[in-house]
Amino acid sequence: MKFDIGTGDKKKTYEFIDEQAGQSRANKFYNWFRTVKGQKTVGGFWIGLSALGALYQVAPHWFFLNQVKSIYQSYSKGFKAPVRNELLKLLNEVVNEMNLSDEEVDHLSVFMVNNMTEPYGWGELGKESLIGIPDFFHYRGVEDVPMDRMRIGESHGSGDENILLTGSQIESEHGRMFSSNLVLSDKAKKFAMAREIERTRQIPHMTHAVFSFSFILLLYNSARIVNKRAELMTKPPIMRGVMYISLLPTFILTYCLSKDAYNRQVDKELDRLTAAIGPDYSAGGEEYYSKIMARNVALREFQGKSGKSRYNRHGDIIQVRAADIFDRILSGVFCSRGLFESRVSA
């Protein structure tokens, strides 16, 4: 802003310079965010980021089913491991007992997966759905379990974790426990496959997409409100940086806890719906989860220190114990035995 004082030779021109505007010229990068264009650009960026967060959750179930299959596909001697006839027969019994329509069955595909310890379902039942089944679902007896070729744990170069089992480990009590609990009855296999078919019917990935979209957008709007209320745009940029760093872990923790609580509720509901198909499925579910727990007990011994930090002596996964407490506080259910029992009782 310029203005003149005086006339003729005594006329002087004065320029009014706003202090913040001066700072803006001195530091155009940080103060650009105060402009209308800057606000629109940042707002558009975060809306796009929210959309990408939602897309990340649904893309494997919509657009990339073929890519998902190629990533998890199990191979045997260089060829795709086929789903054996006895497993297909069990699957046919499952779809009949679940009363699936012809259209749902026509759009349901199954394949054998590698490096997964449980079946898993992708997609949406009735449109395109995919069920991955671990190789050990083909085992009919302990003699089918290739203990000498199994890789246990992960290699980090520390030497703390085993990759291949030694002869003494295979012949040990825990070795026998591990191999025997890899062999499932038909009831347990049917329960596990039915549960994943039910997952594709419930489509939890849609809620995951809503979580991602909402939390990312909520983070942006929260930062925007704090900036406005505290007038941080008129203060040194480092203060805005401190605020952003404070908000980020809070929202990440809230997102993880919320998503974990929802996932556990979904698992309980899937188990409840699957067990309700019939008494054989209820019994199969109890066997299925009991054998998972028993295998975890054996893995705890096989993997040494890392195994003891990963599983407790009952076979529960230690990493999610904090989430267990959070979930049980929400549900008001305190169960100390068995994953299957705690899910169904809740």
Side-chain angles (χ1 to χ4, degrees), residues 1-288:
M1 179 185 296
K2 295 181 179 180
F3 55 93
D4 298 329
I5 296 178
T7 58
D9 296 337
K10 296 182 179 181
K11 181 179 179 180
K12 292 184 178 181
T13 301
Y14 295 88
E15 183 178 3
F16 172 77
I17 301 177
D18 179 71
E19 182 179 353
Q20 182 60 30
Q23 293 177 1
S24 179
R25 287 196 295 270
N27 201 335
K28 293 182 179 180
F29 174 76
Y30 292 108
N31 287 281
W32 173 81
F33 294 101
R34 296 184 62 199
T35 65
V36 174
K37 182 179 179 181
Q39 292 178 33
K40 288 183 177 180
T41 302
V42 173
F45 169 80
W46 279 94
I47 291 173
L49 192 63
S50 299
L52 286 176
L55 185 63
Y56 173 79
Q57 301 292 340
V58 300
H61 302 272
W62 284 2
F63 315 114
F64 300 132
L65 281 175
N66 290 333
Q67 286 74 14
V68 166
K69 185 176 181 179
S70 64
I71 290 171
Y72 291 102
Q73 175 70 58
S74 176
Y75 288 85
S76 177
K77 298 180 180 179
F79 296 95
K80 293 181 180 179
V83 183
R84 296 179 185 173
N85 290 333
E86 56 267 25
L87 207 54
L88 290 174
K89 181 180 178 181
L90 287 178
L91 183 61
N92 187 57
E93 294 177 10
V94 169
V95 298
N96 288 330
E97 289 163 353
M98 292 183 71
N99 297 318
L100 298 188
S101 65
D102 292 339
E103 182 181 3
E104 290 172 333
V105 174
D106 289 341
H107 292 88
L108 177 65
S109 301
V110 294
F111 71 109
M112 305 307 297
V113 297
N114 192 19
N115 295 328
M116 290 184 66
T117 59
E118 293 188 59
Y120 195 80
W122 295 269
E124 182 176 348
L125 190 64
K127 294 183 179 180
E128 291 296 333
S129 53
L130 188 65
I131 307 297
I133 304 174
D135 287 328
F136 69 85
F137 270 55
H138 282 154
Y139 299 163
R140 288 170 290 185
V142 177
E143 63 279 1
D144 293 331
V145 183
M147 292 287 287
D148 57 331
R149 300 197 303 273
M150 283 189 169
R151 294 180 177 271
I152 304 296
E154 301 176 358
S155 177
H156 300 294
S158 62
D160 293 333
E161 299 192 32
N162 296 323
I163 295 299
L164 293 176
L165 297 176
T166 64
S168 60
Q169 287 177 317
I170 295 173
E171 297 299 328
S172 68
E173 178 184 354
H174 288 99
R176 292 192 297 271
M177 176 192 296
F178 186 76
S179 61
S180 63
N181 283 286
L182 276 174
V183 181
L184 303 176
S185 69
D186 289 347
K187 292 180 181 179
K189 294 176 183 178
K190 288 171 64 176
F191 170 86
M193 290 188 289
R195 184 195 64 180
E196 295 312 310
I197 294 175
E198 189 63 43
R199 185 188 302 275
T200 64
R201 176 182 282 163
Q202 299 299 320
I203 52 174
H205 58 269
M206 294 299 294
T207 304
H208 293 161
V210 172
F211 276 175
S212 295
F213 183 87
S214 300
F215 272 91
I216 293 174
L217 207 57
L218 186 60
L219 173 61
Y220 163 68
N221 282 296
S222 298
R224 190 166 178 265
I225 291 171
V226 173
N227 272 332
K228 185 176 181 180
R229 295 283 179 85
E231 299 182 349
L232 294 182
M233 284 303 207
T234 64
K235 298 177 181 178
I238 191 171
M239 297 190 69
R240 299 205 300 271
V242 171
M243 183 270 291
Y244 297 148
I245 293 174
S246 301
L247 279 179
L248 189 61
T250 302
F251 273 82
I252 290 176
L253 178 62
T254 305
Y255 168 77
C256 291
L257 289 176
S258 301
K259 185 177 178 182
D260 181 68
Y262 171 73
N263 285 340
R264 294 173 65 79
Q265 190 61 37
V266 167
D267 285 340
K268 293 174 184 178
E269 183 64 11
L270 293 179
D271 289 339
R272 186 189 67 80
L273 292 172
T274 306
I277 298 174
D280 285 350
Y281 287 85
S282 180
E286 186 171 1
E287 175 195 336
Y288 180 72

